């Protein structure tokens, strides 16, 4: 593909002029407002700036159906990913078709208006099956679909008022038209884009450099800074790493721009989507690697997609995507020759030593403070990673007890706290069920909504403590698996989450009945009582399961300490 002057011409944006925007902004004070989620803000930004061209707004039902079923908009255009405005049912109910609503960021700043032409309740299981390949909540986007996204979708054209505000790396963010203008100015006629959500090490630098050489193109490092896979290295750290790596390319061949995309980890469909987005950003080539945008393992422990499914699908639609695929050469280090080589082109294979450090191994070495060799990465990158990922014994973490009322959670949690305080080193906070209900959640009852809210509050406080290097011990009932999982994800961004199931049986709890609550529950005097008249999802894979019958408290707390030691969270 050779870029013509035509495809570096500006692409359509959804913004109105400055004057119209001012007018719209004041008129919008009377409109019903929807406060956008973080993911919706990412989507809206790319809708408005043309990154999602040809979309003109959040999808209508007809576009959504086409996209879900066969990756095509109602007009036949290729588009693999639903871009929908999911809202709460209560919000949707109050709307009339044809009505304009204001779309606001999380501080209330109005970013756009939308004319609601469509409102429907999607079949989320169908969406999961068709778009992500399985209705399995181990997939981060399926989990989001079922547990975070609203139940009703709204569709309709968007009128852009202003870009979402970013205070970080402002000089590194470009709209599609800004990149097109840059390429025009630099005279870059062929540009190969590299999509990434991970820090770049030597192998990436080698492969992107080779890809650019092969395509006789300039290189655009185009990392995602919107939303990536839960647990990824935060984008602040990554951008500092990318900046260090930029210096390693021959001068003036390579540029970097940050993309505020919310990834879905949809493998093959995602690769096609990424290609369309890069075409909009003025690129001519796109690198697709092994397991592109892979979501990891499904709940049966198998990969969601085959390693080369993304490349196959990209090839299938290549004429419509508008960028040419450069398939990723898996690069490995050949010790005897002290250089990186494509894994499938190694000469004299039987007589050389091939070295490789997987992502998992890298995380392990960071967590344990072990050596990361020079052949693997750049010293500047390793230094950045060590700054954000200190060894585990210096990071904050959360111990999250869950179990029935009267199972012994609080007692064990208290004993654990005292033992940790005896050891010293990090501040410890106990967020016991009863304490939280007094200080944070005094207005809440025991409905599903209220319990979820209660656990989310605990999770929020624990994540802040973990982020700041402390130890949070939580001891609520926390009966719902999905809520526990979302708390886990929130905390794992900053440190370890150690789930401890206090597995005392309901019969034993009732027999002990320390607070006399079971008696009241049996008599119907307490409604929605966990284990009696309300559900409890038994944790499937807790880090530790404690049997408390015939085991004393000290021993239970000691088992937790041993677990923490084996996880490297406290020095042995
Ligand atoms: S939850 O579900 O996680 O929000 O519950 P939690 O905040 O841990 O609160 C549980 C304590 O509240 C008392 N209690 C009840 N528990 C369960 N179901 C009902 N309906 C209920 N009503 C009051 C009970 O004493 C729990 O304390 P623990 O420490 O768990 O025994």
């Amino acid at each position: 593909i050779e870029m013509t002057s035509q495809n570096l011409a500006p692409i359509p944006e959804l913004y109105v002029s400055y004057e119209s925007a001012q007018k719209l902004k004041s008129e919008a004070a009377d409109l019903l407002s929807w406060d956008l989620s973080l993911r919706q803000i990412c989507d809206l930004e790319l809708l408005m700036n043309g990154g999602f061209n040809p979309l003109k707004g959040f999808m209508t039902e007809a576009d959504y159906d086409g996209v879900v079923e066969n990756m095509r908009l109602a007009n036949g255009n290729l588009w693999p990913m639903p871009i929908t405005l999911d809202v709460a049912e209560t919000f949707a109910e109050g709307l009339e078709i044809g009505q304009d609503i204001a779309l606001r960021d999380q501080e209330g700043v109005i970013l756009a208006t939308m004319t609601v032409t469509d409102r429907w309740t999607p079949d989320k299981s169908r969406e999961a099956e068709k778009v992500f390949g399985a209705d399995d909540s181990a997939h981060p986007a399926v989990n989001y679909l079922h547990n975070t996204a609203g139940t009703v979708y709204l569709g309709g054209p968007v009128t852009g008022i202003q870009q979402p505000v970013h205070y970080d790396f402002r000089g590194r963010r470009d709209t599609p038209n800004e990149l097109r203008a840059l390429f025009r100015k630099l005279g870059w006629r062929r540009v190969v884009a590299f999509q990434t959500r991970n820090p770049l090490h030597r192998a990436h630098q080698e492969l992107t450099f080779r890809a650019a050489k092969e395509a006789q193109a300039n290189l655009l490092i185009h990392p995602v800074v919107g939303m990536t896979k839960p647990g990824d290295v935060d984008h602040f750290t990554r951008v500092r790493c990318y900046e260090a790596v930029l210096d390693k390319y021959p001068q003036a061949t390579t540029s970097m721009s940050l993309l505020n995309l919310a990834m879905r980890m949809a493998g093959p469909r995602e690769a096609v989507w990424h290609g369309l987005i890069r075409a909009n950003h003025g690129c001519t080539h796109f690198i697709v690697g092994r397991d592109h945008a892979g979501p990891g393992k499904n709940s049966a422990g198998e990969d969601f997609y085959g390693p080369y499914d993304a490349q196959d699908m990209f090839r299938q639609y290549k004429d419509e995507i508008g960028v040419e695929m450069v398939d990723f050469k898996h690069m490995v280090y050949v010790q005897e020759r002290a250089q990186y080589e494509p894994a499938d082109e190694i000469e004299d294979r039987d007589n050389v030593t091939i070295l490789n450090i997987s992502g998992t191994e890298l995380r392990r070495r960071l967590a344990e403070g072990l050596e990361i060799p020079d052949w693997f990465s750049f010293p500047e990158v390793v230094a950045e990673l060590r700054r954000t990922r200190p060894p585990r014994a210096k990071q904050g973490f959360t111990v999250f007890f869950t179990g029935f009322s009267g199972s012994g959670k609080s007692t064990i949690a208290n004993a654990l706290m005292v033992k940790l305080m005896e050891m010293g080193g990090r501040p410890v906070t106990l967020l016991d069920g009863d304490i939280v209900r007094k200080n944070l959640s005094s207005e809440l009852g025991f409905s599903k909504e209220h319990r979820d809210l209660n656990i989310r509050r605990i999770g929020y406080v624990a994540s802040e403590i973990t982020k700041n290097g402390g130890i949070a011990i939580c001891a609520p009932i926390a009966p719902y698996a999905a809520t526990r999982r979302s708390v886990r994800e929130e905390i794992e961004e900053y440190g370890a989450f150690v789930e401890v199931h206090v597995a005392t049986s309901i019969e034993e709890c009732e027999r002990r009945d320390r607070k006399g609550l079971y008696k009241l529950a049996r008599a119907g005097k307490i409604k929605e009582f966990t284990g009696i008249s309300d559900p409890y999802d038994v944790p499937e894979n807790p880090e530790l399961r404690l049997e408390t019958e015939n085991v004393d408290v000290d021993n239970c707390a000691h088992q937790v300490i041993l677990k923490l030691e084996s996880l490297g969270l406290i020095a042995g």
Side-chain angles (χ1 to χ4, degrees):
I1 301 171
E2 191 73 17
M3 258 192 254
T4 65
S5 52
Q6 194 212 342
N7 63 24
L8 277 187
I11 53 161
E13 299 184 350
L14 306 183
Y15 294 111
V16 291
S17 69
Y18 179 77
E19 291 74 26
S20 312
Q22 293 310 310
K23 191 158 164 275
L24 256 182
K25 223 170 168 171
S26 62
E27 288 168 5
D30 300 330
L31 297 181
L32 208 59
S33 285
W34 174 251
D35 296 333
L36 298 157
S37 67
L38 288 176
R39 184 162 108 174
Q40 291 167 344
I41 292 175
C42 291
D43 287 352
L44 180 64
E45 177 167 348
L46 285 159
L47 280 171
M48 293 194 295
N49 71 18
F52 287 169
N53 178 55
L55 304 189
K56 300 287 181 242
F58 286 99
M59 283 181 180
T60 62
E61 187 170 4
D63 281 338
Y64 168 79
D65 280 337
V67 166
V68 169
E69 287 297 330
N70 55 27
M71 307 203 341
R72 292 194 183 277
L73 301 171
N75 69 6
N77 274 347
L78 178 69
W79 191 272
M81 196 58 63
I83 305 296
T84 47
L85 187 70
D86 59 282
V87 299
E89 212 168 306
T90 42
F91 180 79
E93 276 167 3
L95 288 175
E96 278 172 34
I97 296 302
Q99 185 174 341
D100 283 354
I101 58 172
L103 304 180
R104 295 180 187 271
D105 73 9
Q106 304 203 320
E107 280 165 20
V109 177
I110 178 164
L111 302 178
T113 63
M114 177 173 122
T115 306
V116 180
T117 60
D118 290 61
R119 170 184 50 199
W120 73 103
T121 303
D123 176 348
K124 290 189 173 180
S125 293
R126 176 185 73 144
E127 182 178 334
E129 291 280 354
K130 298 269 175 175
V131 178
F132 304 109
D135 192 6
D136 180 342
S137 289
H139 191 298
V142 174
N143 181 43
Y144 186 97
L145 182 64
H146 287 304
N147 297 314
T148 305
T151 46
V152 180
Y153 288 176
L154 303 178
V158 158
T159 304
I161 295 176
Q162 69 170 68
Q163 296 189 37
V165 188
H166 300 289
Y167 297 107
D168 57 332
F169 306 113
R170 293 173 68 112
R172 291 281 190 198
R173 295 173 186 266
D174 305 281
T175 67
N177 282 327
E178 284 167 347
L179 273 187
R180 284 168 175 245
L182 177 74
F183 297 155
R184 214 161 39 228
K185 183 166 160 182
L186 295 174
W188 286 13
R189 297 169 60 77
R190 295 159 72 89
V191 180
V192 53
F194 182 62
Q195 137 84 34
T196 181
R197 41 170 266 267
N198 286 310
L200 301 188
H201 303 296
R202 285 191 199 269
H204 304 102
Q205 198 268 340
E206 283 286 338
L207 98 87
T208 50
F209 181 60
R210 267 171 196 256
K213 260 204 314 209
E214 271 170 37
Q216 296 178 15
N218 289 96
L219 176 64
L220 176 72
I221 309 287
H222 207 194
V224 172
V225 295
M227 291 169 77
T228 61
K229 205 175 139 190
D232 281 349
V233 176
D234 69 275
H235 81 268
F236 298 103
T237 304
R238 283 191 287 118
V239 175
R240 292 194 297 269
C241 291
Y242 301 139
E243 284 176 340
V245 177
L246 264 187
D247 293 342
K248 317 291 177 195
Y249 294 94
Q251 260 203 338
T253 61
T254 303
S255 186
M256 172 174 71
S257 178
L258 308 181
L259 181 66
N260 198 40
L261 173 71
M263 290 181 72
R264 315 295 209 254
M265 310 312 300
R269 277 195 186 226
E270 182 118 356
V272 172
W273 187 40
H274 287 174
L276 291 165
I277 295 168
R278 269 46 181 229
N280 285 329
H281 284 78
C283 302
T284 53
H285 293 70
F286 183 60
I287 300 174
V288 181
R290 190 181 176 282
D291 195 27
H292 187 96
K297 307 268 184 222
N298 65 19
S299 48
E302 293 149 1
D303 289 333
F304 276 93
Y305 315 116
Y308 297 103
D309 288 2
Q311 292 183 356
D312 292 344
M313 187 179 275
F314 205 101
R315 226 168 265 123
Q316 190 184 337
Y317 292 99
K318 68 178 190 318
D319 296 338
E320 288 176 272
I321 298 174
V323 289
E324 199 171 300
M325 175 167 72
V326 180
D327 42 17
F328 185 105
K329 313 281 180 292
H330 182 57
M331 304 291 291
V332 290
Y333 188 73
V334 182
Q335 192 173 31
E336 283 76 4
R337 293 194 279 269
Q339 65 182 9
Y340 277 89
E341 298 178 12
D344 55 353
E345 292 174 22
I346 292 172
E347 286 174 24
D348 200 16
R349 177 176 295 271
D350 296 335
N351 296 311
V352 294
T353 319
I354 293 170
L355 299 177
N356 199 11
I357 292 183
S358 68
T360 314
E361 174 62 10
L362 174 65
R363 279 191 291 277
R364 188 186 75 88
R365 291 191 183 198
L366 285 170
E368 294 178 24
L370 300 175
E371 194 222 338
I372 295 165
D374 258 6
W375 62 260
F376 174 73
S377 193
F378 306 98
E380 301 91 328
V381 172
V382 174
E384 278 300 340
L385 293 178
R386 288 208 195 279
R387 280 212 299 163
T388 34
R389 295 272 162 107
R392 284 192 142 206
K394 294 214 169 99
Q395 286 174 16
F397 64 88
T398 293
V399 181
F400 193 97
F401 290 94
T402 166
F404 292 120
S405 169
S407 57
K409 302 182 299 290
S410 308
T411 322
I412 301 168
N414 266 297
L416 174 67
M417 177 172 71
V418 171
K419 284 181 188 289
L420 289 169
M421 286 166 76
E422 179 187 344
M423 290 178 185
R426 280 172 287 199
V428 190
T429 301
L430 176 59
L431 297 163
D432 190 25
D434 286 339
I435 301 173
V436 170
R437 284 203 171 258
K438 189 157 146 239
N439 293 307
L440 284 179
S441 294
S442 57
E443 84 287 18
L444 299 183
F446 290 88
S447 64
K448 168 144 200 321
E449 286 66 32
H450 277 191
R451 287 180 195 260
D452 278 351
L453 195 52
N454 183 39
I455 299 309
R456 281 177 201 284
R457 287 178 187 171
I458 294 175
Y460 172 70
V461 176
S463 77
E464 288 294 311
I465 291 169
T466 304
K467 179 168 87 184
N468 291 309
I471 301 173
I473 305 174
C474 314
I477 296 179
Y480 297 107
T483 324
R484 293 194 300 258
R485 170 171 168 167
S486 97
V487 167
R488 174 188 288 273
E489 280 173 4
E490 191 180 3
I491 287 167
E492 283 183 342
E493 269 185 52
Y494 306 114
F497 179 85
V498 183
E499 188 175 13
V500 181
H501 177 214
V502 183
T504 318
S505 67
I506 190 74
E507 295 76 21
E508 176 65 14
C509 293
E510 188 166 5
R511 210 173 303 130
R512 294 180 194 168
D513 204 6
R514 291 250 158 74
K515 302 182 187 166
L517 295 176
Y518 282 92
K519 199 155 170 254
L520 294 173
R522 284 285 178 211
K525 295 201 177 116
I526 305 179
K527 304 259 172 311
E528 301 175 311
F529 198 85
T530 306
I532 303 294
S533 45
D534 219 50
Y536 180 80
D537 303 339
V538 173
E540 280 173 19
N541 278 313
E543 275 70 13
L544 182 66
R545 206 185 299 280
L546 289 177
E547 305 298 338
T548 65
E549 289 159 54
N550 307 319
V551 185
D552 69 17
V553 174
D554 193 77
N555 186 306
C556 288
H558 190 64
Q559 287 184 50
V560 182
I561 293 279
L562 290 178
K563 188 72 204 178
L564 297 175
E565 264 176 25
S566 81
L567 292 170
L569 293 167
I570 48 183

